[in-house]
Amino acid sequence: MRKGVMRPGHVQIRVLDMDAAVKHYVDLLGLIETDRDDQGRVYLKAWTEVDKFSVVLREADEPGCDFMAFKVVDEETLVQLEKDLVDFGVDIEQIPGGELKDCGRRVRFTAPSGHSFELFADKLYTGKWGVTEVNPEAWPRGLDGMKAVRFDHCLLYGPELAATYDIFVNVLGFHLAEQVLAEDGTRIAQFLTVSMKEHDIAFIHHEEPGKFHHASFFLETWEDVLRAADLISMTDTSIDIGPTRHGLTHGKTIYFFDPSGNRNEVFCGGDYTYPDHKPVTWQAEQLGKAIFYHDRVLNERFLTVLT
Amino acid sequence: MASFQVFNQTTGDRFSCQDDQSVLKAMEQTGLKCVPVGCRGGGCGYCKIKVVEGEFECGKMSKAHVPSEAIEKGEVLACRLYPLTDLTIECLPQPAAGLSNRQTKTTALR
């Protein structure tokens, strides 16, 4: 049952070299730089997003994901969810408004998978980039690279998938859209959503907690994914795999790496889900096909190359 | 442009590497697979090797995989390793996390 969590709001990604990272996320992915702060963090957004930022880059010694945040409908909901988390036994941390520029207070917690998540209700509404609010044109001119449409989801690797599921589904109102089950019924992958998308957040079982597999950005068409692949070659960017299709979600995809080794995805298409849909299930013995529908073989890198 | 020879003493492979090229990139261009290829960005630690002999420079690497004491021992990431002389390298066992990961259901049931 939905509980007022609306959508992914932002992800903060650690990078080894800020200049190289900004060039990657702006020139190649086509995100737009909207601000910087006195900690040196760089704020980015994709053009269709209505809030001021969805990606924050932070320079650090070690790449990876600091946290991912979800936007909730209003302050009242935030207060309720905060209480629900505490009642469920989850430790929460209050991040004051303004810690991220133009973002209201955030409630942060660490999931049993070892990842930090945040909930927030307010962020500066700047509207879609480059188009007017009234009688908008189809798309803005002046977008770079892959012209990413939106920050879509993250895939995270960690342990304790069942306990993490309990928080996301039972406390925060996410819905299980897709899963991979081992023969003994253990869930080794869970794709969770608060929307019609097949995943707003996904987890795959991994012994080491808190690992970052990828941040994903939406493109409209297969042609856009192909063009993204062309740009990856033109810029000699580190490619992982693709263009191909996933079995899970059936999205069409390409994976590549930012200059610090964080994996990115751009994808198009994919199935939809409603809360009355039963989860789509893949069997673990078909994991190769579930992940890479054409190759039907999982490359070792997909399971082990993480930040 | 200077070119150096890289010798992997674990596998016996040899390849040449330009001075502005990472050892991993030179290996990939030669079509060899004697060092595992991960993110190619100094982040994942997958291509960690040990330089046994030779001078080198390194680009930025994740401290989680290459703390400064490791660099002194020549334990670096091939994707961020730039030769200044001919190099002899050797493969390292996969890190502990990678090994334990091999025993998880995700990998075992593939």
Side-chain angles (χ1 to χ4, degrees):
Chain A
M1 192 183 72
R2 304 270 164 90
K3 295 191 175 173
V5 179
M6 276 194 299
R7 58 173 171 82
H10 54 251
V11 59
Q12 182 164 304
I13 299 172
R14 296 188 300 272
V15 298
L16 296 172
D17 180 318
M18 186 57 83
D19 291 343
V22 169
K23 195 169 157 52
H24 174 89
Y25 285 95
V26 172
D27 295 357
L28 180 62
L29 265 156
L31 301 183
I32 297 133
E33 182 176 332
T34 57
D35 212 341
R36 296 191 177 216
D37 67 21
D38 52 16
Q39 290 182 42
R41 292 183 296 188
V42 176
Y43 297 56
L44 308 167
K45 70 179 277 181
W47 77 268
T48 67
E49 292 169 342
V50 294
D51 287 348
K52 179 173 168 172
F53 63 87
S54 61
V55 174
V56 180
L57 303 176
R58 179 172 77 86
E59 196 169 85
D61 281 345
E62 154 182 6
C65 175
D66 279 335
F67 49 78
M68 181 183 174
F70 295 92
K71 191 176 188 187
V72 306
V73 290
D74 53 23
E75 174 62 24
E76 197 184 346
T77 304
L78 187 60
V79 170
Q80 183 62 49
L81 290 172
E82 191 178 349
K83 185 178 174 303
D84 294 346
L85 281 168
V86 171
D87 290 348
F88 199 75
V90 179
D91 290 334
I92 59 165
E93 188 187 349
Q94 300 287 345
I95 311 296
E99 196 278 336
L100 278 168
K101 271 184 164 179
D102 293 312
C103 183
R105 77 181 184 98
R106 291 129 64 202
V107 173
R108 186 181 293 173
F109 66 95
T110 303
S113 63
H115 302 93
S116 288
F117 293 98
E118 298 179 345
L119 303 175
F120 69 97
D122 294 308
K123 193 184 283 180
L124 181 66
Y125 191 102
T126 52
K128 292 180 183 179
W129 183 88
V131 291
T132 50
E133 209 161 308
V134 179
N135 307 326
E137 300 298 348
W139 40 265
R141 295 186 186 210
L143 291 170
D144 284 327
M146 299 176 186
K147 308 180 187 191
V149 173
R150 65 167 182 260
F151 162 53
D152 190 87
H153 65 269
C154 287
L155 170 58
L156 305 174
Y157 273 40
E160 303 292 341
L161 255 54
T164 301
Y165 173 98
D166 285 344
I167 293 175
F168 275 85
V169 172
N170 298 328
V171 183
L172 300 178
F174 282 66
H175 158 73
L176 180 68
E178 305 221 358
Q179 62 181 347
V180 179
L181 295 182
E183 228 168 301
D184 66 0
T186 311
R187 195 183 299 114
I188 59 169
Q190 54 198 20
F191 286 38
L192 305 172
T193 185
V194 283
S195 63
M196 285 177 69
K197 292 155 52 191
E198 289 295 278
H199 44 7
D200 286 310
I201 179 73
F203 296 91
I204 288 184
H205 173 79
H206 186 72
E207 294 295 318
E208 194 180 351
K211 300 305 282 185
F212 181 44
H213 190 275
H214 71 262
S216 182
F217 299 85
F218 184 77
L219 299 180
E220 277 189 340
T221 68
W222 175 235
E223 189 71 22
D224 292 337
V225 176
L226 186 75
R227 195 175 156 278
D230 294 339
L231 287 161
I232 287 167
S233 280
M234 286 179 201
T235 52
D236 198 24
T237 297
S238 175
I239 190 167
D240 187 10
I241 194 164
T244 183
R245 184 195 286 276
H246 290 305
L248 284 151
T249 77
H250 297 127
K252 288 152 274 185
T253 175
I254 185 165
Y255 283 124
F256 52 103
F257 296 96
D258 80 6
S260 307
N262 296 302
R263 192 185 275 95
N264 296 155
E265 175 186 48
V266 290
F267 80 104
C268 70
D271 300 332
Y272 68 87
T273 186
Y274 280 106
D276 65 333
H277 288 201
K278 289 180 185 169
V280 172
T281 300
W282 282 82
Q283 298 167 309
E285 57 264 35
Q286 291 284 315
L287 192 60
K289 188 175 178 182
I291 304 286
F292 299 122
Y293 187 69
H294 298 151
D295 282 359
R296 286 161 277 149
V297 177
L298 201 51
N299 64 355
E300 179 74 12
R301 199 150 62 187
F302 190 86
L303 292 178
T304 50
V305 172
L306 307 165
T307 53
Chain B
M1 191 186 293
S3 171
F4 302 107
Q5 286 299 306
V6 180
F7 173 56
N8 184 335
Q9 69 176 22
T10 308
T11 62
D13 290 300
R14 286 174 199 278
F15 53 94
S16 50
C17 182
Q18 308 294 324
D19 58 0
D20 63 343
Q21 207 175 26
S22 77
V23 165
L24 193 75
K25 181 149 199 169
M27 181 204 76
E28 282 195 280
Q29 280 190 352
T30 316
L32 291 171
K33 293 179 176 172
C34 63
V35 175
V37 179
C39 70
R40 307 184 188 87
C44 73
Y46 208 51
C47 65
K48 195 166 175 179
I49 51 99
K50 181 171 174 133
V51 179
V52 183
E53 206 178 321
E55 304 282 311
F56 60 90
E57 284 177 339
C58 285
K60 286 187 177 171
M61 297 175 285
S62 172
K63 282 274 190 297
H65 299 291
V66 189
S68 30
E69 59 270 23
I71 301 181
E72 286 159 26
K73 288 193 281 180
E75 293 178 5
V76 296
L77 305 183
C79 69
R80 283 288 179 264
L81 170 63
Y82 300 90
L84 298 170
T85 65
D86 290 351
L87 297 181
T88 300
I89 63 171
E90 65 180 24
C91 298
L92 290 174
Q94 288 289 304
L99 284 175
S100 65
N101 179 48
R102 272 162 218 286
Q103 291 153 14
T104 64
K105 292 198 170 88
T106 315
T107 333
L109 290 165
R110 212 149 37 104

